[in-house]
C-alpha cells in the first residue's frame, strides 16, 4: 500500500506524492442532523483492523481525492477509485 | 607468525600491492583483499575489543555477519566507525583504527570488567545503582554512559555527497552467488528487465571461494563468464557493492550502493553512496546461508573463526588463517572445509566432531576426534591451543586457528520483514523462509538447497517460472556440469556442555550461556524478553551469527522445540545504512524546497533582509544607511506608511481562482460568513472554519464576475486551504458546478498603502480609482498603462488607504519599479513583513499568531462574521457546542503597558494583579506584541478569559521564562484609528 | 527478593543460581475485582498503583502477547513534562514527579536519565509559541529555560548553525526531562504489581466482553471466561478493537509510528534534541545507540512496521539538524501502533457502561505518561472519581467542545 499507489488518473505513483486525509467511509450529515450524528462524523472512527477505505489526496499529481481500499494489517491495496465517483455512489 | 599469505592462488591481484595502516602500523595487502583478509595476511589477529568485558577479539567471519572485527575507517570528517573489516574493500591509503580500547588495543584497562563479570550478569543494572538516588545522575549513569558504544562519531560535517534513485524491473535478484547468477542469466536471456544486486565488490558469492569445478574449470571463472554475459545484456543491470536492506509494501526494495566507499579520494562528481528504491514485479532472494558458530568455552579467542571463513580466506584471498588449523564441527561441512584447506596446502591438524560417527571423507594426515567437544581454549590475545574433551578425558591440542562449523541457517532476513515469521524446519534444523506469496521467492542456499548443483538448478528453474508467469518465453539456462556432492548433514549443537570458561553466544555484546540461563531463571524465557534482558542479538550484527544459538539454548533450557521459541522480529536494515545515504540530497539549504516571490529581486535591490516564512523567503525590512537596529528600520517604514505611502510584497499569499455557476454557493459553504450575495466588483474578508468550529484560515474573497471569484489565503495555510477546497468540491459536494485552481505563483501582488497611495497608483492606471469610483472593498480586473493585465483591490491590512495590485508574475519586478518611481515624489518606501506586522497589530488585525487552531470566531472578536442564517457551512453545527460558546473562553483583547517605557513580549501569560502564578490562575496569553511607533509605546494582542468584559482592568503580563513581568491595561484590540477614517479616505 | 548492590554480590557468590522470576506466571482465577486488558506500561502501572496505593489487590492483567510487547517496548524512551495546555501540563508534571521517585518506589532501576530535552526553534513565531509553552510550564511550577543561539552553540556545538534551511535560533529546554529504559519500566511495574499480589497473565487474549443487564461481568479469553467486578481497558493501538467488544465507538485511529536506532557509538549526544523544522527527535541510549524518530507514516495501520519513504524523510530531517549524522549508520527500524486520538491527547475515563473503564488515545506520547496514566486510572477505577490532574482527559470532551488540542490541528489524527 504505502509504497506505491495506482492512481486511476496518473498510474503507479509513490506514496510521498499523496497526503492522507483519513477514513473515507464517513458521510457528512445534513445540517439539521442530531448533535450525536455530527459528533460521530467528526470524532468517531470505526478504525477497522483489516479492510478499510481511506481518502488519499494526490497533491503532487492530479490533485484528486482517491478512495483507497486497503488492509490495515497486511497493507494490501484492493482498489483505488476517484473520490467523487465514490462519494456519488455512497449517497445513492 | 601464524596467519600468513599463501604463496599463490586466490582472486587477489598480486601485482597490485596496496598500502594501508592499522592503528598507525603500515601494512600491505593486494587488490581484491578485504581489510580482514589483508589483516590476516599480516598476522594481525587481534582486531577489536568487545562491548562489555573488553575482551580481545579477532576476525570471525568473512562477510556481513561479523560481530568482532569492527574498526573505524578514515579520519576526521571522513571517519566511518564500526565498519566491519570483513566487508571493507581494501584500497591504497586506507587507514583503520581499532575501537573500544584504552589506552591501546593490546593493553585495555576496560578488560578489568571481565574480572567483575560475576557481578555484571544480564540486567545487573536494573537491580542496583538506586541508592542514594542522587548518585545515579551524578556518578553511576555517567560511568555507564562512558562505557557505551564501540566506535566514535565525531559528528563533523560530512564533506561527501549522496543521492537516491528509483529503479523498476521485472525481476530483482538479491545475491550474486550460484543461484542468483543462474536466475539472472535465465531471466536476462528471456528478455526480462533484471536487476542483480550483491553486497560484495565482486559478483560470484560462494563461487569465489569454491574449490569444486564447474564445467570442468574453476568456479570463479564460471562466475566471471556468467557476469560477462549479463553485462552484455541491455535488459540486465548489475549492481555490485549494493546491499538490499529492506523489503517494503508493494514489493518495493530498499538498497544501498557503495559507489565510492572503496577509494581514498572520492570524486566530487559521484555520490559516495546511492540509495535505490527498487520496484520489482518479482524478486528472488538468493542470499545464501550462514554457517553457525559453536558455543563452547573460550570460543571468542582471536583465531577462532567460522570454518567457512577460513576456507574463503584461503581460496578467495590466498591467506591462511594459521599454520596449524583445527576444525570443530557438528556436521559434514567441517570435513568439506578441511578437505579444501588441505588441498590448498593449509595444514589441518585435527577435526573435532561432536557426533559419535560420520562417514565424511577425512583428508590425509588429519586426526579426527569423534564425540569430541572443546571445553576451553588457550592463548592470550591469540589462540595457542584448545582443550578437547572426550569420554571424560581432556587433551590439550596446540593450534593457532580453529574453524567452527555448527551447520547452516538460510539467510531469510528480507522475506521476514513484512510481518511473516520464519518457519522452523526439522529437516533443515533451521528456520526457513515463510511463504510470502508470488512476488518474493527464495532460491538456493537461502531456500535450504546447499549443494552447488542444486543452487544452480534452483536459480535457473525459479527464474524460468517467473519469466513464464510474466509472459516471457523462457527456458532455464542450461546447467553447467558440476561435481557430485551430497547435501551437507549436521547435528544441531546449540551449546557445548562442560565449558571451562565463558562460552559466548553473542560475541559483540558479550552474552554468554550463563546470561541466558539467568534470564530464564528470572522469567525472561520468551525469546523477546531474553533478547531485551541479555541484549543478545542487539549488537551491530543484529545477531546474524548468534540468534539461532540463543534460540536453541532457550529451547533446550525450556525443554521445547526451537519452533516453539521462535525468533525475534526481522526488521530493516539487513545491514546498517548511513543516515547520509537515506537522506540523499535533502540536506542543508536543500532540506526543503525554497520559494521566492516574483518580487524577490526587487526586494534585494532595495536591500531587504529576508526571513523564512514556511517555504518562502519574504522581505522582512529594508535597512537604510545609518540604521543600527532592525527596530529603527521597521519604525521608519511604519511611520512612513502612516504618513506617506509604502509598497509591500504580498505575493506569497495563497491565491485561488474559483469559477462556475455554483462558485458562489461553494464559497458560501466554505466560509462562515456570507459570500453568496457578494456583488461583482467587490471584495470581502472571509473566515474559514474547520468542521469542529475553530478558525482554519482567513483571507479575502473578491467577485470578479458572477461565476468567477478570486480568493486569497494566508501564506502559511495556502496549501492546506487548497486541499480543503479540493476535498469539499470532490467529496462533500461533488454536484456543485465549480472549478478552481491555485494561481499563487502566477501573480505578483503588492500592497500600496498610505495616505498617498491613490496618487501613486493613479499614475499607473487609466481608470478612476477615486473614493467614489473605487471605494473601500472594490475589486476588479484592470489594465495598467501600457496594457499589462492587472487586478486591483481596495483592501488594507494596515488600516491605511490601501490598494493591492496583482500583475502577472513576470511583470512584478518591473511594475514594482514603476510604482517606486511614481511614488518617489510622494515619499514612497518599501516596507517588509515586520512593518506589516506592526501596522496590523496597531489595527488589531489578526494572523496565525492568533489563529492557533484553538480559536473560535467569537474568541477572535469576529463573532459577527458567523452567519447563523446560512443553512450550512463547514463548522456550523459543532460551533454550537457548550465548550465553544462558554462565557469564560479566552477572547482577544489589546494590552498597553501601564508604564509606557516597559515592553510586552509575545508568549507571556496573564495573571490577575497580585495573584500567584498557577495553572488554575492562568488568565490568558499574549499572542502578538511589538512597539508601536505611532503610539510611542509597546502594544500587544492577547487572549484573556472573558476578555471583552475586562477593558480597563490591569493584568500582570508574566514572562517567567525570561524573568520579565509588567502590568498592562486591558483595552480594545484596535489601537489606531478605531473609526477607520484613514481606511476609507 | 529485594534488589541492591548487596543482593548482586551475594548472588554472584552463589553462581547467580538463586535469582527468582521477577514476576509469577499464575493460572487465572475465575474472578477478579479488577481485570486490566493490556500488559503494557499503562496496564501494568495501573495494576501496580491499584494494589499499592488504592488497596485493590485482587487484580489481573491480561496480555495477549508477551509482557511489554506493545509500545512500552518500542518507543524512543523520552520522558518530559513540557506541555502547553492546562488540560495536559499538570498531568504530565504529575507523571514526571512519579518518574523521579519511581526507582526507589519499585526497587527497580529504570535508568531514568534527566539529561534535558531541548526543542529547537527556527523562527520568531516558533520562539513565541515556545515562550508561551515555557510560561505555561512555569505556571504549573515546572522549570523551563529559553536557550538562545549563542548559549545553544556552546551547549550543543554540532547542530547545523550555518547551513540549515531553517536557521537554528534557540531552544526551549526542560532540564528535568530525559529518558528511561523502556523495557525496564514494564518489568519494574510488573515485578512491583506481582509483589502486591496482582496476577499477570501473559499470552491470554481477550476475545469478548460479557455483559449482563448492561453491566460487564467478565471477559472471554483464549484461556476461557474470567469474571470481574470492574474491567479496565489499556489496550493502546488495539483499543478500538477491544472497545468494539462492548459496542464502544471511540475517537481513535490506529497509526504506525516508526523509530530507529543506530549502531552503538561512544557518547556524543548528551540531550534529547527535538528539531523544530520537522518532527525529528534524537537521544543516545546508555548503550550508545542513537535512538530517534519523527512523524507517523500517516495511514491507518495495525502493522508494527513502517515504510521506506517515511524512514527516508526521518533521515533527511536528522541530517538537516545534525549534519554530522550523515556517516552514522542506522541499525534497525521498527514500528508501533499508536492509538491516535482526535485531538492528540489521551482519554482516561469511565464509559457509558457502568463498570467499564477506558485508558487510550496516547498517540505517540504514552511512554512518558506511564506512571501518571496508571496512577490516575487506578484512582478512577478504585474510587470511581477522576484524579484532579486528569480532569480534562474525558471521553466526552469532544461532544462538549473541550478538545485538548496541543497542536491546534483539529480532528484529523495524522496531523497531531
Amino acid at each position: 500500500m504505502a509504497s506505491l499507489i495506482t492512481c486511476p488518473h496518473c498510474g503507479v505513483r509513490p506514496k510521498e506524492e499523496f497526503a492522507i486525509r483519513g477514513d473515507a467511509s464517513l458521510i457528512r450529515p445534513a445540517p439539521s442532523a442530531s448533535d450525536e450524528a455530527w459528533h460521530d462524523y467528526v470524532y468517531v472512527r470505526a478504525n477497522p483492523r483489516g479492510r478499510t477505505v481511506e481518502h488519499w489526496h494526490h497533491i503532487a499529481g492530479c490533485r484528486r481525492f482517491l478512495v483507497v481500499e486497503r488492509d490495515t494489517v497486511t497493507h494490501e491495496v484492493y482498489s483505488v477509485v476517484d473520490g467523487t465517483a465514490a462519494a456519488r455512489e455512497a449517497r445513492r | 607468525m601464524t596467519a600468513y599469505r599463501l604463496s599463490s592462488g586466490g582472486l587477489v591481484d598480486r601485482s597490485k600491492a596496496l598500502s594501508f595502516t592499522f592503528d598507525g602500523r603500515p601494512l600491505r595487502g593486494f587488490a581484491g583483499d578485504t581489510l580482514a583478509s589483508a589483516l590476516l595476511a599480516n598476522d594481525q589477529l587481534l582486531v577489536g575489543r568487545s562491548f562489555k568485558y573488553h575482551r580481545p577479539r579477532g576476525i570471525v567471519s568473512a562477510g556481513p555477519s561479523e560481530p568482532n572485527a569492527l574498526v573505524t575507517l578514515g579520519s576526521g570528517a571522513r571517519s566511518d566507525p564500526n565498519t566491519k573489516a570483513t566487508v571493507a574493500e581494501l584500497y591504497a591509503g586506507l587507514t583503520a583504527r581499532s575501537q573500544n580500547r584504552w589506552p591501546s588495543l593490546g593493553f585495555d584497562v576496560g578488560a578489568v570488567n571481565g574480572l567483575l563479570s560475576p557481578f555484571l550478569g544480564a540486567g545487573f543494572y536494573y537491580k542496583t545503582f538506586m541508592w542514594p538516588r542522587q548518585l545515579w545522575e551524578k556518578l553511576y549513569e555517567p560511568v555507564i554512559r562512558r562505557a557505551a558504544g564501540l566506535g566514535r562519531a565525531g559528528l563533523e560535517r560530512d564533506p561527501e555527497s549522496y543521492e537516491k534513485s528509483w529503479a523498476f524491473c521485472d525481476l530483482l535478484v538479491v545475491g550474486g552467488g550460484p543461484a542468483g547468477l543462474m536466475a539472472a542469466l535465465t531471466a536476462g536471456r528471456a528478455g526480462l528487465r533484471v536487476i542483480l544486486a550483491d553486497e560484495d565488490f565482486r559478483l560470484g558469492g560462494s563461487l569465489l571461494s569454491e574449490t569444486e569445478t564447474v564445467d570442468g574449470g574453476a568456479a570463479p571463472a564460471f562466475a566471471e563468464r556468467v557476469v560477462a554475459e549479463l553485462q552484455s545484456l541491455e535488459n540486465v543491470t548489475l549492481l555490485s557493492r549494493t546491499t538490499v536492506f529492506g523489503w517494503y509494501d508493494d514489493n518495493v526494495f530498499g538498497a544501498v550502493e557503495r559507489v565510492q566507499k572503496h577509494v581514498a579520494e572520492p570524486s566530487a562528481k559521484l555520490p559516495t553512496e546511492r540509495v535505490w528504491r527498487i520496484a520489482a514485479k518479482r524478486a528472488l532472494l538468493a542470499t545464501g546461508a550462514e554457517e553457525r558458530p559453536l558455543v563452547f568455552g573460550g570460543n571468542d579467542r582471536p583465531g577462532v573463526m567460522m570454518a567457512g571463513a577460513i576456507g574463503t580466506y584461503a581460496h578467495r584471498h590466498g591467506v591462511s588463517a594459521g599454520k596449524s588449523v583445527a576444525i570443530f564441527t557438528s556436521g559434514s561441512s567441517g570435513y568439506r572445509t578441511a578437505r579444501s584447506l588441505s588441498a590448498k596446502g593449509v595444514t589441518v591438524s585435527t577435526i573435532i566432531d561432536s557426533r559419535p560417527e560420520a562417514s565424511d571423507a577425512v583428508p590425509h594426515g588429519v586426526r579426527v576426534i569423534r564425540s569430541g567437544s572443546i571445553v576451553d581454549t588457550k592463548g592470550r590475545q591469540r589462540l595457542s591451543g584448545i582443550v578437547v574433551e572426550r569420554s571424560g578425558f581432556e587433551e590439550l591440542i596446540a593450534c593457532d586457528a580453529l574453524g567452527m562449523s555448527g551447520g547452516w541457517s538460510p539467510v531469510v532476513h528480507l522475506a521476514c520483514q513484512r510481518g511473516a515469521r520464519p518457519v522452523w524446519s526439522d529437516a533443515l534444523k533451521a528456520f526457513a523462509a515463510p511463504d510470502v506469496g508470488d512476488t518474493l521467492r527464495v532460491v538456493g542456499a537461502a531456500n535450504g538447497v546447499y549443494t552447488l548443483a542444486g543452487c544452480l538448478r534452483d536459480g535457473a528453474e525459479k527464474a524460468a517460472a517467473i519469466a513464464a508467469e510474466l509472459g516471457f518465453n523462457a527456458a532455464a539456462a542450461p546447467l553447467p556440469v558440476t561435481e557430485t556432492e551430497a547435501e551437507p548433514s549436521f547435528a544441531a549443537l546449540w551449546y557445548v556442555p562442560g565449558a571451562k570458561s565463558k562460552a559466548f553466544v553473542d560475541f559483540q555484546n558479550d552474552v554468554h550461556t550463563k546470561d541466558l540461563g539467568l534470564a530464564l531463571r528470572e522469567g525472561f524465557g520468551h525469546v523477546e524478553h531474553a533478547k531485551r534482558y541479555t541484549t543478545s542479538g542487539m549488537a551491530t550484527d543484529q545477531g546474524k551469527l548468534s540468534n539461532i544459538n540463543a534460540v536453541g539454548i532457550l529451547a533446550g533450557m525450556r525443554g521445547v522445540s526451537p519452533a516453539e521459541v521462535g525468533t525475534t522480529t526481522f526488521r530493516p536494515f539487513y545491514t546498517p545504512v548511513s543516515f547520509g545515504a537515506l537522506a540523499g540530497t535533502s540536506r542543508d539549504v536543500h532540506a526543503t524546497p525554497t520559494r521566492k516571490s516574483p518580487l524577490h529581486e526587487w526586494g534585494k535591490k532595495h536591500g531587504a533582509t529576508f526571513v523564512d516564512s514556511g517555504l518562502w523567503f519574504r522581505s522582512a525590512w529594508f535597512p537604510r544607511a545609518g540604521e543600527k537596529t532592525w527596530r529603527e528600520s521597521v519604525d521608519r517604514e511604519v511611520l512612513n506608511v502612516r504618513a506617506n505611502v509604502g509598497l509591500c510584497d504580498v505575493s506569497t499569499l495563497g491565491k485561488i481562482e474559483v469559477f462556475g455557476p455554483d462558485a458562489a454557493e461553494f464559497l458560501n459553504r466554505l466560509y462562515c460568513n456570507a459570500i453568496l450575495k457578494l456583488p461583482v466588483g467587490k471584495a470581502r474578508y472571509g473566515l474559514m472554519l474547520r468542521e469542529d468550529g475553530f478558525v482554519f484560515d482567513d483571507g479575502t474573497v473578491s467577485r470578479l464576475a458572477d461565476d468567477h471569484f478570486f480568493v486569497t489565503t494566508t501564506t502559511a495555510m495556502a496549501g492546506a486551504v487548497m486541499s480543503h477546497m479540493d476535498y469539499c468540491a470532490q467529496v462533500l459536494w461533488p454536484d456543485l458546478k465549480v472549478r478552481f485552481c491555485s494561481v499563487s505563483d502566477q501573480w505578483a501582488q503588492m500592497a500600496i498603502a498610505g495616505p498617498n497611495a491613490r496618487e501613486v497608483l493613479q499614475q499607473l492606471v487609466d481608470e478612476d480609482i477615486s473614493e467614489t469610483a473605487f471605494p473601500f472593498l472594490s475589486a476588479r480586473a484592470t489594465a495598467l498603462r501600457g496594457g499589462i493585465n492587472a487586478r486591483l483591490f481596495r483592501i488594507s491590512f494596515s488600516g491605511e488607504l490601501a490598494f493591492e495590485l496583482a500583475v502577472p508574475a513576470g511583470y512584478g519586478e518591473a511594475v514594482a519599479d514603476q510604482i517606486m518611481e511614481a511614488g518617489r515624489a510622494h515619499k514612497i518606501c518599501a516596507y517588509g513583513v515586520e512593518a506589516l506586522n506592526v501596522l496590523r497589530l496597531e489595527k488589531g488585525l489578526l494572523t496565525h499568531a492568533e489563529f492557533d487552531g484553538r480559536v473560535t470566531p467569537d474568541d477572535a472578536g469576529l463573532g459577527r462574521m458567523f452567519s447563523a442564517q446560512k443553512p450550512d457551512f463547514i463548522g456550523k453545527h459543532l460551533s454550537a457546542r457548550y465548550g465553544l460558546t462558554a462565557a469564560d473562553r479566552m477572547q482577544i483583547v489589546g494590552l498597553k503597558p501601564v508604564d509606557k517605557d516597559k515592553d510586552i513580549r509575545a508568549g507571556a501569560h496573564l495573571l490577575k494583579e497580585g495573584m500567584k502564578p498557577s495553572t488554575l490562575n492562568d488568565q490568558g496569553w499574549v499572542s502578538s506584541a511589538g512597539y508601536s511607533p505611532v503610539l510611542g509605546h509597546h502594544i500587544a494582542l492577547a487572549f484573556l478569559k472573558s476578555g471583552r468584559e475586562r477593558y480597563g482592568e490591569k493584568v500582570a503580563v508574566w514572562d517567567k521564562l525570561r524573568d520579565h513581568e509588567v502590568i498592562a491595561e486591558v483595552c480594545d484590540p484596535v489601537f489606531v484609528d478605531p473609526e477607520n477614517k484613514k481606511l476609507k479616505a | 527478593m529485594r534488589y541492591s548492590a548487596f543482593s548482586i554480590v551475594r548472588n554472584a557468590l552463589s553462581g547467580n543460581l538463586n535469582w527468582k522470576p521477577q514476576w509469577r506466571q499464575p493460572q487465572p482465577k475465575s474472578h477478579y475485582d479488577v481485570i486490566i486488558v493490556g500488559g503494557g506500561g499503562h496496564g501494568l502501572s495501573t495494576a501496580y498503583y491499584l494494589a499499592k496505593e488504592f488497596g485493590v489487590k485482587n487484580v489481573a492483567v491480561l496480555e495477549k502477547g508477551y509482557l511489554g510487547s506493545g509500545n512500552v517496548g518500542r518507543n524512543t524512551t523520552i520522558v518530559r513534562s513540557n506541555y502547553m495546555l492546562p488540560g495536559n501540563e499538570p498531568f504530565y508534571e504529575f507523571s514526571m514527579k512519579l518518574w523521579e521517585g519511581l526507582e526507589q518506589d519499585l526497587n527497580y532501576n529504570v535508568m531514568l536519565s534527566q539529561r534535558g530535552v531541548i526543542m529547537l526553534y527556527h523562527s520568531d513565531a516558533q520562539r513565541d509559541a515556545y515562550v508561551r509553552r515555557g510560561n505555561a510550564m512555569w505556571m504549573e511550577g515546572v522549570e523551563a529555560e529559553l536557550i538562545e543561539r549563542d548559549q545553544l552553540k556552546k551547549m550543543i556545538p554540532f547542530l547545523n548553525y550555518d547551513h540549515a534551511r531553517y536557521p537554528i535560533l534557540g531552544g526551549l529546554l526542560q532540564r528535568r526531562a530525559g529518558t528511561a529504559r523502556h523495557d525496564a519500566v514494564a518489568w519494574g511495574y510488573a515485578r512491583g504489581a506481582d509483589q502486591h499480589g496482582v496476577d499477570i497473565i501473559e499470552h491470554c487474549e481477550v476475545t469478548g466482553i460479557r455483559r449482563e443487564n448492561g453491566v460487564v461481568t467478565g471477559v472471554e479469553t483464549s484461556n476461557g471466561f474470567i469474571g470481574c467486578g470492574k474491567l479496565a481497558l489499556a489496550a493502546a493501538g488495539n483499543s478500538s478493537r477491544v472497545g468494539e467488544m462492548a459496542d464502544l465507538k471511540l475517537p481513535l485511529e490506529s497509526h504506525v509510528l516508526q523509530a530507529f536506532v543506530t549502531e552503538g557509538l561512544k557518547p556524543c549526544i548528551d540531550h534529547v534534541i527535538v528539531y523544530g523544522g520537522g518532527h525529528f527527535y534524537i537521544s543516545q541510549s546508555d548503550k550508545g545507540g542513537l535512538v530517534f524518530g519523527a512523524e507517523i507514516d500517516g495511514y491507518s495501520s495495525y502493522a508494527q512496521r513502517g515504510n521506506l519513504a517515511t524512514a527516508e524523510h526521518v533521515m533527511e530531517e536528522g541530517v538537516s539538524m545534525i549534519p554530522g549524522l550523515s556517516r552514522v549508520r542506522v541499525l534497525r527500524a521498527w514500528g508501533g501502533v499508536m492509538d491516535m486520538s482526535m485531538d492528540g491527547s489521551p482519554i482516561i475515563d469511565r464509559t457509558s457502561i457502568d463498570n467499564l473503564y477506558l485508558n487510550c488515545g496516547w498517540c505517540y506520547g504514552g511512554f512518558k505518561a506511564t506512571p501518571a496514566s496508571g496512577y490516575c486510572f487506578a484512582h478512577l477505577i478504585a474510587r470511581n472519581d477522576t484524579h484532579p490532574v486528569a480532569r480534562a482527559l474525558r471521553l466526552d470532551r469532544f461532544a462538549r467542545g473541550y478538545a485538548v488540542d496541543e497542536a491546534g490541528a483539529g480532528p484529523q489524527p495524522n496531523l497531531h
Side-chain angles (χ1 to χ4, degrees), chain B residues 662-705:
Chain B
D662 291 330
E665 174 62 25
F666 177 66
L667 295 174
N668 206 47
R669 295 184 194 179
L670 274 182
Y671 289 92
C672 77
N673 52 319
I675 304 293
L676 202 56
K677 292 180 182 149
L678 179 68
V680 173
K682 281 292 180 188
R684 182 170 291 171
Y685 179 64
L687 197 60
M688 274 189 203
L689 308 184
R690 295 190 307 239
E691 200 69 278
D692 65 354
F694 294 100
V695 174
F696 177 47
D697 196 38
D698 66 339
T700 58
V701 183
S702 303
R703 194 167 202 166
L704 301 176

Side-chain angles (χ1 to χ4, degrees), chain A residues 8-9 55 64-67 81-88, chain B residues 730-731 734:
Chain A
H9 309 292
H55 273 128
R64 298 294 298 177
F65 269 87
L66 310 177
V67 174
V81 298
D82 187 84
T84 292
R88 289 210 171 105
Chain B
Q730 294 173 31
V731 178

Side-chain angles (χ1 to χ4, degrees), chain C residues 182-233:
Chain C
H182 57 4
D183 287 324
V185 175
W187 303 335
Y189 272 119
R191 176 169 165 268
D194 179 88
Q195 285 175 348
H196 285 93
V198 172
D199 281 358
I200 298 165
I201 300 156
E202 296 177 74
H203 309 290
C204 177
E205 181 170 7
V206 172
T207 54
I209 295 176
R210 193 183 285 180
R211 278 177 288 168
E212 284 164 27
N213 305 321
V215 176
V216 172
T217 56
V219 289
E220 311 289 348
T221 77
S222 50
N223 300 12
F225 176 78
I226 309 174
C228 66
K230 292 179 176 180
L231 183 63
L233 308 182

Side-chain angles (χ1 to χ4, degrees), chain B residues 80-100:
Chain B
D80 289 319
N82 299 337
T83 302
K84 297 176 181 82
T86 48
V87 296
E89 187 175 350
L90 193 69
Y91 56 84
L94 176 149
T95 58
R97 280 170 292 145
S98 59
Q99 305 183 148
N100 202 37

Side-chain angles (χ1 to χ4, degrees), chain B residues 175-230:
Chain B
L181 284 178
M182 282 306 280
L185 191 64
T186 299
R189 285 177 180 170
L192 280 75
R193 284 186 305 165
V194 177
I195 295 175
L196 172 65
D198 191 286
E199 61 198 348
D200 209 330
F201 54 87
R202 182 163 176 159
L203 292 170
S206 63
L207 289 168
L208 303 180
S209 25
E210 185 56 69
T211 49
E212 259 188 74
T213 60
V214 180
D215 274 344
F222 167 74
E224 210 165 317
R225 283 200 304 280
V226 175
V227 170
E229 179 176 345
L230 290 172

Side-chain angles (χ1 to χ4, degrees), chain A residues 24-72:
Chain A
S25 69
L26 303 160
I27 295 180
R28 190 170 183 266
S32 57
S34 66
D35 288 353
E36 193 189 351
W38 274 97
H39 167 264
D40 287 0
Y41 167 66
V42 174
Y43 290 110
V44 173
R45 297 290 180 267
N47 194 23
R49 182 184 168 90
R51 200 173 278 250
T52 191
V53 282
E54 223 167 34
H55 273 128
W56 288 52
H57 188 201
H58 199 181
I59 45 168
C62 58
R63 291 205 63 93
R64 298 294 298 177
F65 269 87
L66 310 177
V67 174
V68 177
E69 185 187 19
R70 43 175 286 265
D71 191 296
T72 58

Side-chain angles (χ1 to χ4, degrees), chain B residues 908-962:
Chain B
H909 282 235
L910 306 178
L911 285 165
K912 282 183 180 162
E913 242 191 312
M915 291 296 276
K916 272 191 166 166
S918 76
T919 301
L920 208 60
N921 287 341
D922 197 345
Q923 292 290 295
W925 59 285
V926 178
S927 56
S928 301
Y931 177 78
S932 165
V934 172
L935 300 175
H937 61 79
H938 275 79
I939 56 173
L941 294 176
F943 285 92
L944 176 67
K945 281 187 178 170
S946 312
R948 277 194 293 277
E949 299 166 5
R950 295 169 67 174
Y951 292 172
E953 184 182 323
K954 308 264 195 308
V955 292
V957 181
W958 189 77
D959 186 359
K960 170 73 180 169
L961 191 67
R962 290 176 291 199

